[in-house]
Amino acid sequence: MAATSPGYSITVRAHMKKGSGGAADIASAVSAAGGALTALDVGGSTATELVVDVSCDAIDGAHADRICDAISALPGVAIHKVSDRTFLLHLGGKIEVTPKVPLKHRDDLSRAYTPGVARVCRAIADNLDDARRLTIKRNTVAVVTDGSAVLGLGNIGPAAALPVMEGKAALFKQFAGVDAWPVCIESQDVDTIVEIVRNLSSVYGGINLEDIAAPRCFEIERRLRDLLDIPVFHDDQHGTAIVVLAALTNALRIVGKSPQQVRVVLSGVGAAGHAIVRLLRTQGFEDIVACGRRGVLRPEDAGTDEFRRWIVEHTNPRGVQGSLVDALRDADVFIGVSAPDLLTGEHIATMAPDAVVFALANPVPEVDPFAAAAHAAIVATGRSDFPNQINNVLAFPGFFRGMLDSGSHEVTDRAMLAAATAIANCVSPDQLAHDFIVPSVFDAQVVPAVAEAVRKASAPNE
């Protein structure tokens, strides 16, 4: 059975007639229905009934409904309200603007706004570089999306993407002190998106592209990097590649293999897959076989897509042919950034001894992690309810912190390799274990370590 998740957490307010049972009966009903009870409070009592608030995690929306049905089926129990705790958290949005300076009296207003602010405006007009020193620009990132590839939901549009972009902005602030803001664009035309971002760029110190479908995302990133003098970073590509490399570095340390020795099979040749191949090759991985929907990527599969054509030209040195399952035989490493349930434990059993499996499709990975763990030495997923979560939060806050602090605008392979090394080294040799190859996203040393590594890698003559 699938695991329950805080993402499907509900609070049920039930009224129970006295004499018909106790609050413990409700707890038992939740447990019998497969819910994970997180809290049970008796919110009130009268001469005739108890008011009970029960909070629990479910597997999905349908499972939450079944839990409510189980509670309602108890004798003398009536449900008065069900609150979805995830929706409650999002009410009114997750971020806000807060002034950094006091505005308590006339003097404050005269300096922060008119007439004093005019002097600052004139200074910037005379020297545009002062915008970075005298405004929010030096610490602000635009989180840009067209809503075309949101999580595993697909092309749901910019308005529906906004909760994800708000969450991204909240993570920037929480982990790296970076002020980020969603920029959700009502267009999926490359020229339009590039022009909008270019015209907004004077406000921001960096651009984080997010949830934009391939191949459009490649062209947008390339053109913006050519046009702008601030860093442009597509997290779905480069953030993912950085964390995958960090995790793989530590996984290979455990199994005693080197990048030059291992055979890597990659499932998924979109934005993330392309970036992973590029970064692994930069780090010295030589034998990578990339697979798409039709199996091992062939020249005819690339068509006019220059990015897939690059993958074809820089992978599969042994000329492997066939399906993903065929490619997996005797491989040392599997990396999935594709689709759910493509493989079984039996397929993992055909891999080389001490195999490493990164099944990163979310929320359902390419192979059940428990089935994979029966045959592989190390298993990682993108989920928070299984060990070794490959999470971009380990990369993008510190990466942008380092880029903003260095004042550099060029996102280089050197900086990305430095970030991956810093993340990997946040797990000390004493901590390293089969179920602990990457640090927790809440590890306070990660962001400073990544930021410092990126700053050094981006600064001139360092």
Side-chain angles (χ1 to χ4, degrees):
M1 188 176 185
T4 59
S5 167
Y8 292 97
S9 179
I10 58 173
T11 296
V12 179
R13 172 157 286 190
H15 288 221
M16 171 177 277
K17 291 181 179 179
K18 286 187 173 177
S20 61
D25 291 342
I26 294 180
S28 296
V30 170
S31 178
L37 187 69
T38 57
L40 191 149
D41 301 298
V42 178
S45 177
T46 68
T48 60
E49 67 178 17
L50 290 175
V51 178
V52 181
D53 289 331
V54 56
S55 297
C56 63
D57 294 343
I59 297 169
D60 52 29
H63 185 218
D65 292 340
R66 294 197 298 273
I67 293 170
C68 292
D69 291 343
I71 295 173
S72 295
L74 293 171
V77 174
I79 291 179
H80 278 225
K81 185 177 182 181
V82 179
S83 299
D84 186 310
R85 296 174 66 195
T86 296
F87 276 81
L88 287 176
L89 183 144
H90 285 78
L91 282 178
K94 302 186 292 292
I95 58 176
E96 64 181 4
V97 174
T98 302
K100 295 168 64 177
V101 297
L103 296 170
K104 296 180 179 179
H105 44 66
R106 186 182 299 274
D107 283 358
D108 290 341
L109 194 60
S110 295
R111 285 190 291 268
Y113 199 53
T114 184
V117 71
R119 296 173 54 217
V120 181
C121 293
R122 282 196 297 266
I124 294 172
D126 292 339
N127 180 12
L128 292 180
D129 290 341
D130 276 349
R132 192 170 187 274
R133 185 171 64 89
L134 296 172
T135 72
I136 61 173
K137 182 179 177 71
R138 68 180 298 164
N139 195 54
T140 307
V141 168
V143 184
V144 176
T145 189
D146 65 356
S148 60
V150 181
L151 303 178
L153 304 174
N155 188 358
I156 61 175
L162 182 53
V164 178
M165 304 310 123
E166 284 186 6
K168 198 84 173 190
L171 294 171
F172 266 113
K173 186 66 172 180
Q174 180 70 28
F175 289 103
V178 172
D179 295 307
W181 195 256
V183 178
C184 300
I185 297 174
E186 192 71 54
S187 173
Q188 295 184 358
D189 174 71
V190 170
D191 292 339
T192 301
I193 294 170
V194 169
E195 189 65 7
I196 288 172
V197 176
R198 185 184 72 82
N199 284 316
L200 289 171
S201 63
S202 61
V203 178
Y204 298 99
I207 305 295
N208 182 93
L209 301 176
E210 191 77 21
D211 291 350
I212 300 174
R216 185 164 58 253
C217 60
F218 301 120
E219 180 68 12
I220 291 170
E221 179 189 37
R222 179 166 61 190
R223 288 173 58 179
L224 287 174
R225 284 186 175 180
D226 289 341
L227 287 168
L228 304 182
D229 62 353
I230 56 177
V232 178
F233 183 85
H234 186 199
D235 188 46
D236 301 314
Q237 290 185 69
H238 308 301
T240 301
I242 288 167
V243 183
V244 165
L245 176 56
L248 187 53
T249 298
N250 279 343
L252 295 184
R253 286 171 177 169
I254 290 174
V255 299
K257 299 178 182 180
S258 71
Q260 294 77 19
Q261 290 177 314
V262 297
R263 295 180 176 181
V264 178
V265 172
L266 174 78
S267 174
V269 289
H274 179 267
I276 289 169
V277 171
R278 291 190 74 99
L279 201 60
L280 291 187
R281 281 183 53 83
T282 303
Q283 186 68 351
F285 289 82
E286 298 170 357
D287 192 335
I288 304 171
V289 177
C291 298
R293 291 184 179 90
R294 298 170 57 186
V296 176
L297 199 63
R298 301 166 299 174
E300 55 265 35
D301 296 326
T304 59
D305 186 334
E306 65 176 287
F307 301 98
R308 287 200 177 190
R309 191 163 60 252
W310 184 93
I311 295 176
V312 170
E313 293 170 354
H314 292 84
T315 59
N316 199 10
R318 291 178 289 113
V320 175
Q321 298 180 8
S323 66
L324 170 63
V325 172
D326 295 329
L328 201 64
R329 194 169 294 111
D330 296 324
D332 299 280
V333 177
F334 169 74
I335 301 171
V337 282
S338 50
D341 296 326
L342 298 179
L343 300 170
T344 67
E346 287 71 24
H347 297 139
I348 303 303
T350 69
M351 295 179 68
D354 291 326
V356 174
V357 172
F358 290 180
L360 307 182
N362 239 338
V364 181
E366 286 82 359
V367 59
D368 178 86
F370 296 100
H375 305 283
I378 296 172
V379 178
T381 71
R383 297 179 58 108
S384 61
D385 54 1
F386 193 84
N388 298 328
Q389 184 189 18
I390 307 298
N391 192 326
N392 288 19
V393 180
L394 289 166
F396 72 81
F399 194 91
F400 266 98
R401 180 76 275 158
M403 293 297 293
L404 293 170
D405 291 346
S406 71
S408 173
H409 72 275
E410 189 176 358
V411 177
T412 64
D413 288 342
R414 182 183 178 199
M416 289 189 282
L417 291 175
T421 300
I423 294 168
N425 289 343
C426 283
V427 180
S428 69
D430 290 342
Q431 294 174 312
L432 203 57
H434 289 74
D435 287 338
F436 194 75
I437 58 173
V438 287
S440 164
V441 297
F442 297 105
D443 187 333
Q445 70 173 323
V446 174
V447 168
V450 173
E452 179 64 9
V454 170
R455 187 195 66 77
K456 288 182 175 180
S458 302
N461 303 320
E462 288 199 32

